[in-house]
């Protein structure tokens, strides 16, 4: 049987809160229970919002909670080449195109079309730059205009056919990556995206069980598509519950009183905070 490898992959955009503690303890517990390995990855590709001092605080908070991780901590911002290689491969397969659109231009195009397909989060990209005349595209590239790289989702799906993945609670799930449309895989300001980096890293780090909150359930459909396109192994998934505040709202950065920093400063012991995060 293969060894179970789980991971916790926070973004250092602030202090961890109880919801993060729940996720970290979940992943840690799943690995330890299976006699496997638990790894830690810092998802700091968004260099505008991530801060090294938050990375330090994350490591400190997790150690304070009593967590131990195996091997070196991977910091995504030190691995641009890995994401570049994945992009090159998708580009070589003809599955990417440069998108020069600004947010405003996309909104205007959608408004002009009357409506656009929706993914629940917002309207999908209307495909403006996918339809761009090749000569015009070459001209824009030659001017050095900034561009994002988008996945040609119809071409990608035609290549892979229907895909499934497995969730430990939901069982077999039929992937619907089309709900993301022509998703951005490299941003204008960052040479990758969350979706690409997380999929590449889970494979590179040998993660066999991805545990994370249910808010990322739909994202797994897209990650499954990227795995198929990049010939990556498919881990098992467990999307766990999200902690909520007394009004039933999911915990977020706004809940400052529930950061591990604030809870530690209030004099609580690690065992008490673990219990608040739903673990003994
Ligand atoms: N970095 C993501 C976050 O902090 C988590 C990614 C994942 O678990 O797949 O929300």
């Amino acid at each position: 049987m293969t060894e179970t490898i789980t991971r916790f992959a926070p973004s250092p955009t602030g202090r961890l809160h109880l919801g993060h503690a729940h996720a970290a303890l979940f992943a840690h517990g799943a690995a330890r229970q299976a006699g496997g390995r638990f790894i830690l990855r810092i998802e700091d590709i968004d260099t505008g919002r991530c801060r090294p001092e938050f990375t330090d605080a994350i490591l400190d908070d997790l150690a304070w909670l009593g967590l131990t991780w195996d091997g070196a901590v991977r910091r995504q911002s030190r691995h641009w080449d890995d994401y570049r290689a994945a992009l090159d491969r998708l580009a070589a397969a003809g599955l990417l195109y440069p998108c020069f659109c600004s947010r405003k231009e996309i909104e205007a195009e959608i408004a002009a079309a009357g409506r656009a397909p929706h993914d629940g989060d917002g309207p999908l990209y209307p495909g403006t730059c996918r339809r761009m005349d090749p000569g015009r595209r070459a001209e824009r590239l030659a001017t050095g205009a900034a561009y994002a790289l988008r996945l040609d989702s119809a071409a990608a799906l035609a290549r892979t056919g229907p895909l499934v993945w497995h969730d430990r609670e939901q069982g077999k799930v039929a992937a619907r990556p089309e709900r993301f449309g022509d998703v951005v895989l490299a941003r204008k300001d960052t040479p990758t995206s969350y979706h690409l980096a997380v999929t590449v890293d889970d494979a590179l780090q040998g993660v066999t069980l991805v545990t994370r909150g249910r808010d990322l359930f739909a994202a797994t459909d897209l990650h499954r598509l990227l795995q198929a396109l990049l010939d990556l192994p498919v881990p098992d998934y467990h999307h766990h519950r999200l902690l909520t505040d007394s009004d039933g709202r999911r915990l977020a950065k706004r809940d400052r009183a529930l950061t591990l920093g604030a809870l530690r400063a209030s004099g609580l012991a690690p065992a008490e905070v673990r219990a608040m995060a739903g673990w003994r």
Side-chain angles (χ1 to χ4, degrees):
M1 228 181 84
T2 49
E3 185 186 30
T4 298
I5 304 180
T6 68
R7 49 51 161 203
F8 177 54
S11 300
T13 55
R15 287 297 290 257
L16 297 181
H17 57 61
L18 272 184
H20 293 115
H22 180 80
L25 288 159
F26 193 101
H28 185 261
R32 297 292 174 244
Q33 232 171 35
R37 292 200 295 137
F38 168 68
I39 57 183
L40 184 58
R41 180 167 76 230
I42 299 296
E43 303 214 317
D44 56 353
I45 52 172
D46 189 344
T47 45
R49 292 174 59 228
C50 295
R51 301 260 177 282
E53 57 270 29
F54 289 135
T55 296
D56 296 342
I58 286 171
L59 303 184
D60 191 55
D61 282 341
L62 293 176
W64 179 84
L65 268 180
L67 298 190
T68 51
W69 49 91
D70 300 298
V73 176
R74 181 175 171 96
R75 289 172 170 76
Q76 288 188 325
S77 62
R78 296 184 187 168
H79 297 279
W80 300 119
D81 287 355
D82 290 331
Y83 314 129
R84 181 78 252 165
L87 287 169
D88 286 348
R89 189 156 168 188
L90 296 172
L95 298 174
L96 298 184
Y97 62 88
C99 172
F100 305 94
C101 294
S102 64
R103 214 175 280 262
K104 270 218 170 92
E105 285 167 334
I106 295 174
E107 279 163 17
E109 169 100 12
I110 289 169
R115 54 174 214 97
H118 236 255
D119 72 344
D121 250 1
L124 295 181
Y125 180 63
T128 323
C129 287
R130 185 183 62 240
R131 294 186 298 268
M132 188 182 270
D133 165 78
R136 170 108 185 93
R137 182 178 288 155
E139 244 171 58
R140 294 287 305 262
L141 287 174
T143 64
Y147 60 88
L149 288 173
R150 287 186 182 272
L151 181 71
D152 183 336
S153 55
L157 283 162
R159 202 181 164 99
T160 65
L163 297 166
V164 294
W165 52 274
H166 184 262
D167 183 82
R168 293 243 166 134
E169 284 180 29
Q170 308 282 322
K172 188 166 143 185
V173 180
R176 291 191 296 118
E178 59 277 17
R179 62 165 116 211
F180 289 90
D182 286 2
V183 67
V184 169
L185 292 186
R187 290 166 25 175
K188 280 184 184 171
D189 53 349
T190 310
T192 181
S193 69
Y194 156 69
H195 295 298
L196 184 74
V198 83
T199 306
V200 166
D201 281 353
D202 283 338
L204 274 177
Q205 296 191 282
V207 172
T208 62
L209 172 62
V210 172
T211 69
R212 57 186 175 200
R214 289 192 190 136
D215 53 331
L216 287 167
F217 194 91
T220 302
D221 288 354
L222 175 59
H223 302 175
R224 181 67 191 87
L225 174 64
L226 293 173
Q227 286 154 2
L229 296 172
L230 294 165
D231 287 322
L232 302 176
V234 184
D236 216 10
Y237 287 87
H238 194 153
H239 294 88
H240 56 70
R241 72 187 173 99
L242 298 169
L243 295 196
T244 50
D245 63 15
S246 47
D247 298 330
R249 290 186 314 172
R250 168 179 158 217
L251 298 185
K253 298 246 152 66
R254 63 175 177 267
D255 303 298
R256 292 208 184 281
L258 298 179
T259 62
L260 298 193
L263 296 169
R264 287 173 67 173
S266 75
L268 288 168
E272 292 172 295
V273 175
R274 283 200 299 272
M276 288 172 77
W279 298 88
R280 300 274 148 204

